[in-house]
Amino acid sequence: MPTMFIRTAICSAALLLCLPHAAFAQEKASATRSAQDLATRLDATIAPYFQPDAPGATVIVVKDGKTVLRKAYGMADTSKNIKMTPEMALRIGSMTKQFTATAILLLADEGKLSLQDEITKFLPDYPTQGKKITIEHLLTHTSGIVSYTGKPGYPQRAPQDTTVAAQIDSFKNEPMQFEPGSAWRYNNSGYYLLGAIIEKVSGQPYHQFVEQRIFVPLGMNHTAYEGYERGAWPTAAGHSLGEKGFGPARTLGKNQSYAAGELVSTVDDLAKWDAAIAGNKLLQPATWQRAFTSYRLSDGKDSNYGYGWELTLIQGEPTIGHSGSTRGFRSYGLRLPAKGVYVAVLTNGDSGTVVPDVVARRAAAVAIGKPLPEFKEVALDAASLDAVAGVYTQDKDTQRVLRRDGEFLALQRAGRGPLVLKAMSPNEFFIPDTADWIAFQRDGSGKATGMTYYQDGRTLVHKRSGEAPPPRIVAKIADAAFDAHVGRYEIQPGMVFEVQREGSRYFVQPSGQRRVEIFPLSETRFFARDVDAEIGFEAQGLMFKQGSRSFTGRKL
């Protein structure tokens, strides 16, 4: 055989052997570039929400089991000039509920309780007022029990340490709000009671049960009930917004949130949590599926809430998630199971800061290749706003009223606070701090005939069914006229409204609650845009109206 032929055959064989390796290397390099490109797009989406010198966030985005973004933004402690880092632990607020729900489901899988058990089986002294309240009702916010955090005076009690028994005593004798299973209303009392049931059934304190049965087995080394951390770890300080900017978070007493919201965690641990869920760890697969299934109310309607998780859509994709808000911190975690995406955003500001829901939802939309539209505000004149104001009906149970509110539109649904809308065009408006927007349809004369509300990925079609209420026109008043009202007003013992002016902006701040900006209708009548409230000043004091409730207060 000629030498040349032998060499050619050897080289050809070597080439054939090398080709698969080269292809693999190219594929790997392409995947790396793709991941880097996604990380760049995610960072470009998230970064504008956070200022370098303001309270910040830790963020993680996981896709197909691989972390594509893990980054910190802003400050961990504005007073000490400490920057946020990705490994820091933060309070997660009501994201705690998914862990409480899982603890209950662990006990159910072991046959130690049934979700259909009445709560009096484990809490025999709880007064159910003749109603059948089950564990499932507590899990799904359908029990009808009053939520203790919504009771008058709670903000004043929140800084005090309490016990589980004392907190339950604070709400157990309140009248039921509705028949169990007939309605959905977010309820911290239900998850507080679930914590007590976990303790009764397991014989362990709540903090110990979730630690031993969930956190330790999953390697979630930096997740714990606050005060029971298993070692030193860097943490972020919480912030609340005050008159002079951000300061230390308002105090929250021990056991005030308990099984409804007292956990701390890191984004790394939350990514481990999602991986465990995806791998059907801890619970039986059918149990996980049940947790992510919307509870159906007694009238057949879906509640869009499972067991400790909200069920929504992002760009049409089924999404399982939950928000958290507690003193000094807000959070949001979501998973898109069909797309293999998980996003967690933990922030260290409880008001006047970025809403983590918006950041997480926008990041998830980028991760699945369906970015949400960018909202850019434009100015419209009064006539353009009046043209779309009116009453819009979705179905026999749902109406939304839009009225002109000075230079804005305000949207309100019965029983809920108003939402300020900002214009993108004469036909399109967005809701600040959300990913939701509205598009109007018009007839040949230009009058609006309907609207489509794009909410949480749902398309809610409405027909115009009535005229708008009279617009609220913001009056121009002299600052000196408002100064006559500045001061403190006692609404009831322990509840004081402080009326303040900053430049030509006017505010009212209830004791222990966030400050609300108010706008003048006249020198003595004012309204709030982001809560359903009006205030009137009289010679003897203040009249405060919120929804159907009215209160009076004397000036101190």
Side-chain angles (χ1 to χ4, degrees):
M1 182 180 293
T3 304
M4 181 64 70
F5 180 79
I6 294 172
R7 288 178 178 170
T8 302
I10 292 172
C11 288
S12 297
L15 182 61
L16 288 171
L17 289 170
C18 291
L19 276 174
H21 296 285
F24 175 75
Q26 289 176 351
E27 184 178 330
K28 186 175 181 181
S30 176
T32 301
R33 285 193 300 271
S34 178
Q36 290 172 343
D37 177 59
L38 176 56
T40 300
R41 286 185 283 119
L42 285 166
D43 185 46
T45 298
I46 297 167
Y49 285 95
F50 300 98
Q51 301 303 313
D53 58 348
T58 60
V59 181
I60 198 163
V61 181
V62 178
K63 188 171 185 181
D64 297 327
K66 296 180 180 179
T67 299
V68 291
L69 181 80
R70 176 183 179 271
K71 194 166 182 178
Y73 301 86
M75 303 298 290
D77 191 326
T78 57
S79 65
K80 297 179 179 178
N81 200 34
I82 299 173
K83 292 184 177 181
M84 189 77 82
T85 59
E87 68 272 10
M88 285 183 167
L90 293 80
R91 288 178 180 168
I92 64 171
S94 286
M95 283 182 69
T96 297
K97 290 180 172 66
Q98 58 200 251
F99 296 99
T100 299
T102 301
I104 286 285
L105 296 175
L106 274 166
L107 295 170
D109 275 357
E110 294 169 354
K112 294 178 180 177
L113 58 78
S114 165
L115 301 190
Q116 302 312 313
D117 284 338
E118 293 189 50
I119 64 173
T120 49
K121 180 176 179 179
F122 309 104
L123 306 173
D125 296 331
Y126 192 88
T128 58
Q129 303 170 42
K131 307 295 185 183
K132 180 181 178 180
I133 304 173
T134 67
I135 289 176
E136 187 174 43
H137 289 142
L138 302 183
L139 286 168
T140 56
H141 301 290
T142 59
S143 68
I145 294 170
V146 167
S147 184
Y148 70 93
T149 52
K151 289 184 58 183
Y154 176 74
Q156 290 72 49
R157 297 190 298 274
Q160 304 165 9
D161 290 350
T162 189
T163 64
V164 173
Q167 193 74 284
I168 292 174
D169 284 345
S170 76
F171 62 79
K172 70 180 183 182
N173 292 312
E174 295 290 327
M176 295 285 289
Q177 295 183 308
F178 51 81
E179 190 72 22
S182 66
W184 186 92
R185 189 173 298 179
Y186 193 79
N187 191 321
N188 285 308
S189 296
Y191 273 78
Y192 212 98
L193 291 171
L194 288 172
I197 290 171
I198 290 165
E199 294 196 357
K200 184 69 175 288
V201 175
S202 70
Q204 293 179 287
Y206 170 82
H207 73 86
Q208 193 175 84
F209 184 88
V210 292
E211 174 187 303
Q212 293 183 4
R213 298 299 305 277
I214 299 176
F215 306 146
V216 171
L218 298 182
M220 298 174 66
N221 298 325
H222 309 296
T223 304
Y225 192 95
E226 189 168 11
Y228 291 93
E229 293 85 351
R230 298 183 298 285
W233 193 251
T235 61
H239 297 79
S240 295
L241 186 62
E243 292 182 38
K244 298 180 180 179
F246 291 106
R250 296 168 295 159
T251 303
L252 183 67
K254 185 177 180 180
N255 296 324
Q256 284 290 348
S257 301
Y258 185 49
E262 205 144 338
L263 296 183
V264 297
S265 190
T266 66
V267 291
D268 293 323
D269 273 9
L270 292 172
K272 292 179 181 179
W273 172 235
D274 177 69
I277 296 170
N280 285 315
K281 295 182 179 179
L282 298 180
L283 302 177
Q284 298 171 13
T287 304
W288 279 122
Q289 185 59 40
R290 191 175 175 187
F292 302 142
T293 300
S294 174
Y295 178 80
R296 187 156 291 180
L297 303 174
S298 55
D299 64 1
K301 291 184 178 179
D302 280 331
S303 66
N304 298 313
Y305 196 96
Y307 301 156
W309 274 274
E310 304 158 334
L311 308 173
T312 62
L313 298 169
I314 294 177
Q315 296 292 59
E317 295 293 339
T319 304
I320 302 162
H322 211 287
S323 60
S325 181
T326 185
R327 294 197 166 190
F329 301 85
R330 288 191 287 189
S331 62
Y332 199 78
L334 62 84
R335 54 195 317 267
L336 285 76
K339 297 295 183 179
V341 167
Y342 180 73
V343 181
V345 179
L346 306 181
T347 68
N348 65 330
D350 61 14
S351 59
T353 54
V354 175
V355 179
D357 312 34
V358 178
V359 178
R361 295 178 71 81
R362 285 195 170 276
V366 170
I368 64 174
K370 298 179 181 180
L372 291 164
E374 292 295 330
F375 300 148
K376 294 184 178 180
E377 184 181 0
V378 300
L380 296 180
D381 59 21
S384 297
L385 300 179
D386 288 339
V388 295
V391 179
Y392 292 82
T393 299
Q394 179 185 344
D395 53 43
K396 65 182 181 64
D397 298 320
T398 309
Q399 275 192 340
R400 290 180 167 89
V401 178
L402 283 86
R403 72 190 300 175
R404 177 157 60 89
D405 215 351
E407 67 272 34
F408 299 102
L409 275 182
L411 178 151
Q412 187 153 20
R413 182 177 169 184
R416 303 188 183 184
L419 298 172
V420 173
L421 305 184
K422 294 189 177 181
M424 295 186 284
S425 75
N427 290 326
E428 297 173 318
F429 292 74
F430 68 95
I431 301 171
D433 296 330
T434 75
D436 301 340
W437 60 290
I438 289 172
F440 290 94
Q441 295 82 47
R442 300 175 186 260
D443 60 18
S445 68
K447 186 174 182 179
T449 58
M451 74 174 191
T452 304
Y453 186 0
Y454 298 94
Q455 181 189 53
D456 281 342
R458 297 181 175 87
T459 302
L460 310 177
V461 177
H462 298 66
K463 289 185 178 180
R464 185 188 174 102
S465 56
E467 297 301 315
R472 292 194 291 200
I473 309 301
V474 178
K476 291 185 178 180
I477 67 171
D479 291 337
F482 184 80
D483 287 342
H485 309 312
V486 169
R488 301 172 73 246
Y489 298 79
E490 185 178 50
I491 304 299
Q492 60 186 37
M495 173 59 76
V496 173
F497 281 15
E498 185 168 356
V499 177
Q500 310 160 345
R501 176 170 71 86
E502 283 189 10
S504 292
R505 296 178 68 187
Y506 314 133
F507 299 89
V508 61
Q509 184 164 19
S511 301
Q513 299 184 38
R514 68 182 179 88
R515 189 172 62 163
V516 175
E517 186 168 8
I518 54 176
F519 302 88
L521 294 166
S522 70
E523 288 188 351
T524 58
R525 291 180 57 233
F526 297 78
F527 71 95
R529 281 203 170 111
D530 57 349
V531 294
D532 183 16
E534 291 190 9
I535 291 176
F537 293 97
E538 303 169 349
Q540 302 302 316
L542 170 152
M543 186 278 294
F544 175 74
K545 182 180 179 182
Q546 185 169 24
S548 60
R549 299 184 301 169
S550 295
F551 307 90
T552 58
R554 65 180 182 88
K555 195 169 187 179
L556 299 176

